[in-house]
Amino acid sequence: MIKVVLLGTGNVARFLFNGFKEQTTIKIIQVVGRNKEALDYFRAYVPVEQGFQKLMQADVYILALKDDAIASVANSLKIKEGLLVHTSGSVSIEAIPARVRRGVLYPLQTFSKTELSKGQTVPFCIEAEEIADYKILTQMALTISDTVQKISSSQRKFLHLAAVLANNITNHMYHLPYTVCEENKVPFSILEPLINETSLKIKTQTPFEAQTGPALRRDQETIKKHLSLITDSRVKEFYSRLSQSIQDTHEDKL
């Protein structure tokens, strides 16, 4: 049985807690955080502690914290035994002091309070400095995920960049057509089949191969018409620059 202390009360902490508390080989023995109200979510199931100074003895300590808090909290902990890991995509393993066994348990997914049950579909990227610790993290991740992969800190920072482009930036790009639809009283929902088809395509094709549209065809008349319809100068520049980027990327094909 792997005994775990979970440090943090946010969305990632809740996801890990909900996944691990159902397992027979993992036992969360304590949840620690600064926010008293947020700790109430866990209080009915395990002992909780406000503040990071009174930690129970555990095999693994998971820092499910904001990126800018990881190093300071990690350095303040008085852990003599056990594996200390964080869950960030952009923070190096070296943010955890070298005086302890250290690692990374990074769930590559977007989490919100309204949707935490992602199940086995969430890939986990793990990192450690000892073979035994890799085995522990692999064992833990496999209880709640079908995909576990060793990813170094150097690789993970680029993976996190790719994830932000694929998720956060793309979501903002959905906001732009949503605004166009709202302003012109067109239902955004009519675009959902198109959005779904675009997502499905990249399962069988590379994004390069799946590219379509007026920029790819060098349909300058359509591009000019679209630009004339856009009233927001920022969106106009965004459309123009991305169209040019598509043309530059597919220059040989054109």
Side-chain angles (χ1 to χ4, degrees), residues 2-246:
I2 300 173
K3 294 181 179 179
V4 175
V5 168
L6 185 58
L7 297 93
T9 56
N11 296 336
V12 174
R14 290 189 180 198
F15 166 73
L16 293 174
F17 179 81
N18 290 336
F20 288 146
K21 74 181 177 66
E22 303 297 330
Q23 309 306 318
T24 58
T25 57
I26 298 172
K27 184 177 182 180
I28 297 181
I29 60 172
Q30 185 185 34
V31 175
V32 181
R34 292 193 178 100
N35 190 314
K36 184 178 180 180
E37 291 183 359
L39 284 169
D40 289 340
Y41 180 86
F42 310 93
R43 197 181 302 275
Y45 304 96
V46 296
V48 299
E49 180 66 33
Q50 189 175 5
F52 298 111
Q53 300 310 309
K54 297 180 180 179
L55 304 185
M56 293 183 177
Q57 185 70 38
D59 302 304
V60 180
Y61 301 84
I62 302 177
L63 295 164
L65 306 170
K66 292 180 180 179
D67 289 359
D68 58 4
I70 290 172
S72 60
V73 173
N75 278 280
S76 73
L77 299 178
K78 295 177 174 58
I79 295 175
K80 295 181 179 179
E81 296 182 4
L83 174 62
L84 179 61
V85 304
H86 71 66
T87 60
S88 170
S90 63
V91 176
S92 169
I93 191 174
E94 293 182 359
I96 298 173
R99 59 180 166 77
V100 298
R101 289 161 48 209
R102 56 188 181 177
V104 178
L105 183 68
Y106 168 48
L108 203 170
Q109 187 53 273
T110 177
F111 298 100
S112 62
K113 289 182 180 179
T114 57
E115 187 185 1
L116 288 170
S117 181
K118 307 274 183 183
Q120 302 295 112
T121 62
V122 178
F124 273 80
C125 304
I126 62 172
E127 183 178 7
E129 295 176 317
E130 303 293 338
I131 294 176
D133 293 335
Y134 265 118
K135 289 181 178 179
I136 291 172
L137 293 179
T138 300
Q139 180 184 343
M140 291 179 65
L142 283 175
T143 63
I144 54 176
S145 174
D146 292 329
T147 305
V148 180
Q149 188 161 343
K150 291 182 180 180
I151 299 288
S152 70
S153 286
S154 176
Q155 292 172 313
R156 187 162 27 84
K157 66 183 180 182
F158 288 105
L159 179 61
H160 188 257
L161 167 61
V164 168
L165 290 170
N167 176 49
N168 307 114
I169 301 299
T170 299
N171 186 70
H172 180 66
M173 292 174 71
Y174 290 147
H175 168 72
L176 301 181
Y178 179 86
T179 301
V180 170
C181 290
E182 284 287 295
E183 290 176 349
N184 293 278
K185 296 180 171 53
V186 178
F188 178 73
S189 59
I190 201 169
L191 294 177
E192 289 178 5
L194 174 63
I195 293 170
N196 291 336
E197 178 65 18
T198 303
S199 297
L200 288 172
K201 273 186 179 181
I202 60 171
K203 292 185 177 182
T204 57
Q205 299 175 279
T206 66
F208 182 90
E209 294 168 334
Q211 186 67 55
T212 61
L216 179 72
R217 301 190 301 270
R218 286 193 180 274
D219 183 351
Q220 298 301 333
E221 287 303 312
T222 297
I223 292 173
K224 287 179 181 178
K225 287 178 183 177
H226 288 169
L227 288 171
S228 71
L229 294 172
I230 301 171
T231 57
D232 188 320
S233 60
R234 295 171 301 175
V235 179
K236 190 186 291 282
E237 182 179 7
F238 179 77
Y239 183 102
S240 181
R241 285 181 179 272
L242 277 185
S243 294
Q244 186 61 53
S245 179
I246 292 170

